[in-house]
Amino acid sequence: MSGVQHITVAPGDADQRVDRWLRRHFPQVTQGRIEKMCRKGELRVDGGRVKAATRLAAGQSVRVPPLPDPGAPPPAPAPEISQADARMIREAVIWRDSHILALNKPPGLAVQGGSGQRRHVDALAEALRFDADEAPRLVHRLDRDTSGVLLMARSRAVAAGLTAAFRAREARKIYWAAVAGVPQPRMGTISYGLVKAPGHGAKGEGEKMRCVHPGDIDATPGAKRATTDYAVIEALGKRAAWVALVPVTGRTHQLRAHMAELGHPIVGDGKYGGGGQENLGDGWGAQLGGEVSRKLHLHARSIALTHPVTGARLSITAPLPEHMRRTWSMLGWSEADAPPDPFEETA
């Protein structure tokens, strides 16, 4: 077992996630161990606590707690990717060039591993290598139950460029959702802050984000500002609406929590639109009933940004998943009726 180490981040290692940086330097350490070190505050950067996804900057000092010796028994190898999973993830590719690929992520597939989560996009990345020298890298995330456009970088340099674009909010992301009720006005901006509310289980099960009035954000410990633009595309009387959503900020569960706070939860969202929903609103109840699927009706419809290598404007659109296509057909909505950017259409 090694002692505590303090390692300075080299210029070539800048903008990497701390968990990936650590595993390259100490391959004997498992991802689960890294997550635990972060939770306990044993792994620190410039003296501060970090999460596994925290990005490093050149010159920062990383405190590494005592680790198993390199000669210790190696962790169990990652499970091989089944032919079915390899085929599934390759069929999800909707755009690819030498630098970037885009998936239409299926609902129900996690982007990264978590507690007990072994089947996820990151674990299947090797099947997406194609002609590249390395497997593609994640540069942003979607919730497990959210479908739609997910970009991956095919090299470290491109990953840095895409990450910078997302961080600078240069990428325009438009989501589609079916919500209960019809938001009024039919176009607006939601500015409630978000703070993490603890779960009720022994391991934090049920953890969710709680909305905070804009005037109370600064006085609420842990609260972060969050902004969402929304526009109603079609409505079914007063019972349901097809909305476009733009997350101006990128907080955890932001779109789901914001729509529920308006009283118009996303269809199929039992976490934010169930019995614990605080603002009942006109759209109370995230289930429309009947033959409408109980799955989450939230889809990352498109991403537009400047290509970090070619400089060309890149716009990628993902078709709706099957359960949302059935709902759209049932409610008489057509993908072809929506403008590429509803906010420009009605401006």
Side-chain angles (χ1 to χ4, degrees):
M1 190 74 101
S2 67
V4 173
Q5 303 177 61
H6 292 85
I7 304 175
T8 301
V9 178
D13 287 338
D15 208 35
Q16 292 183 48
R17 288 168 52 111
V18 68
D19 56 351
R20 293 175 183 170
W21 175 90
L22 191 68
R23 294 192 70 176
R24 273 199 303 275
H25 283 75
F26 304 97
Q28 75 272 25
V29 181
T30 66
Q31 182 69 24
R33 178 68 180 273
I34 295 173
E35 299 277 356
K36 185 175 181 180
M37 289 190 295
C38 291
R39 288 195 302 270
K40 296 176 68 176
E42 297 173 341
L43 182 66
R44 291 178 174 260
V45 175
D46 285 346
R49 298 173 72 104
V50 293
K51 296 182 179 180
T54 297
R55 300 267 173 186
L56 296 172
Q60 287 184 316
S61 176
V62 181
R63 178 195 183 277
V64 181
L67 299 175
D69 296 328
E80 292 187 7
I81 300 173
S82 69
Q83 291 185 358
D85 278 345
R87 183 170 57 252
M88 177 275 298
I89 201 68
R90 289 172 186 150
E91 290 176 349
V93 175
I94 54 176
W95 192 89
R96 171 165 63 102
D97 69 4
S98 299
H99 310 287
I100 300 170
L101 65 79
L103 305 177
N104 185 4
K105 188 190 80 67
L109 178 65
V111 170
Q112 289 180 296
S115 178
Q117 184 66 251
R118 296 182 178 273
R119 184 175 180 268
H120 47 83
V121 173
D122 206 19
L124 301 176
E126 187 63 32
L128 298 172
R129 182 189 290 261
F130 297 110
D131 56 347
D133 294 332
E134 55 186 307
R137 303 163 181 265
L138 294 166
V139 293
H140 66 122
R141 298 195 301 174
L142 295 174
D143 289 347
R144 183 183 64 185
D145 294 325
T146 302
S147 59
V149 181
L150 181 73
L151 296 187
M152 301 184 76
R154 304 188 72 193
S155 70
R156 183 181 300 177
V158 173
L162 289 174
T163 299
F166 281 111
R167 187 175 299 157
R169 302 179 187 173
E170 295 171 355
R172 184 164 178 79
K173 296 183 283 187
I174 297 178
Y175 288 71
W176 280 2
V179 303
V182 181
Q184 295 294 333
R186 291 171 70 99
M187 175 178 284
T189 297
I190 308 167
S191 300
Y192 282 93
L194 294 170
V195 64
K196 187 176 292 184
H200 304 292
K203 297 183 179 180
E205 295 90 347
E207 183 179 85
K208 61 191 292 187
M209 305 305 291
R210 178 174 63 83
C211 285
V212 178
H213 188 278
D216 298 330
I217 295 174
D218 292 340
T220 304
K224 296 181 179 180
R225 296 190 179 277
T227 304
T228 299
D229 292 333
Y230 74 87
V232 175
I233 298 175
E234 294 281 354
L236 182 70
K238 296 183 178 180
R239 185 65 185 94
W242 166 12
V243 298
L245 302 167
V246 171
V248 179
T249 53
R251 309 301 184 196
T252 300
H253 293 179
Q254 175 178 315
L255 302 181
R256 298 167 61 183
H258 271 176
M259 293 312 297
E261 183 65 20
L262 288 190
H264 300 286
I266 296 172
V267 172
D269 192 352
K271 189 180 191 75
Y272 289 92
Q277 182 184 349
E278 294 182 3
N279 181 1
L280 305 190
D282 295 331
W284 163 246
Q287 304 300 339
L288 296 184
E291 297 182 5
V292 175
S293 172
R294 296 178 67 86
K295 292 182 179 179
L296 184 69
H297 285 58
L298 179 61
H299 178 69
R301 173 64 173 179
S302 65
I303 288 182
L305 76 166
T306 299
H307 195 293
V309 177
T310 68
R313 192 62 181 171
L314 179 63
S315 182
I316 300 172
T317 299
L320 289 172
E322 179 59 29
H323 75 282
M324 290 181 69
R325 282 201 301 269
R326 291 198 306 268
T327 298
W328 261 234
S329 177
M330 191 181 312
L331 301 182
W333 298 338
S334 171
E335 294 183 55
D337 292 340
D341 192 329
F343 300 87
E344 291 181 357
E345 170 90 355
T346 56

